[in-house]
Amino acid sequence: MTDATSGDGTRAGSTAQPAGGAKGPDELRQQIEQTRSQLGDTVEELAGKADVKGRAKARAADLRDKAGAMTVQLRSSAAHAGHAVQGKAHRAGHAVQDKAGQAGHAVQGKAGRAGHTVERRVPGRARGVVRVGLDHPRAALVAGAAAGALVAAGVLRRRHHGRC
């Protein structure tokens, strides 16, 4: 390799004094020490650039830190959104419950009025049965369901034995 020097004796790209410019041994030692220091810095820079594994580890650590911060931020955002949705669902549930209660009361009132209308139209002997049914609607519903099941079983039995 050739040494690229300029016409004044300095090396190209160097900040050192010209080689022949030292006025004495002390100044020459100082220039040598300065050159060594600059050379050490340059070697460190080159070693850092050549250390691909070290640079990759540093970059991975940086990316891990950024990902951790992003995870914390996303969890916080999700928690806030979850609380907001929970509040809205709670309010909507109460609104639906209130409307269902109002509708239930309206149906109960209409059913009661309809039951009393039917009771007036029923002959005297059957009024007692109708009153019991109005006073105990669940019992009447169970009895009606049982009667319906018996009728359905009878129809299915007749069809199965070929009488229909």
Side-chain angles (χ1 to χ4, degrees):
M1 242 181 0
T2 60
D3 190 11
T5 55
S6 63
D8 62 356
T10 59
R11 193 163 169 220
S14 172
T15 58
Q17 296 285 334
K23 301 216 189 263
D26 290 334
E27 192 176 327
L28 185 59
R29 283 187 193 102
Q30 184 182 10
Q31 287 178 359
I32 290 171
E33 192 57 41
Q34 185 179 6
T35 303
R36 281 183 183 159
S37 174
Q38 289 173 348
L39 182 61
D41 292 344
T42 304
V43 168
E44 272 186 44
E45 259 185 64
L46 289 173
K49 288 181 181 180
D51 185 15
V52 176
K53 186 176 180 181
R55 288 174 43 205
K57 283 183 179 180
R59 178 75 174 140
D62 184 43
L63 290 174
R64 252 192 316 275
D65 291 344
K66 286 181 182 179
M70 181 79 66
T71 300
V72 168
Q73 184 180 6
L74 288 174
R75 284 183 179 168
S76 175
S77 296
H80 287 301
H83 289 302
V85 168
Q86 189 177 20
K88 287 181 181 181
H90 185 71
R91 288 188 296 276
H94 280 296
V96 167
Q97 191 175 18
D98 290 344
K99 287 183 181 181
Q102 291 170 356
H105 288 301
V107 167
Q108 189 176 17
K110 286 181 181 180
R113 287 190 298 276
H116 290 296
T117 302
V118 168
E119 184 181 353
R120 279 187 249 132
R121 293 183 183 169
V122 172
R125 290 187 213 173
R127 278 194 189 156
V129 174
V130 171
R131 275 193 196 125
V132 170
L134 289 174
D135 291 340
H136 305 288
R138 287 188 184 165
L141 181 64
V142 169
L150 286 173
V151 169
V155 168
L156 289 174
R157 190 172 185 174
R158 286 184 74 166
R159 283 189 182 170
H160 184 65
H161 291 306
R163 294 185 193 159
C164 210

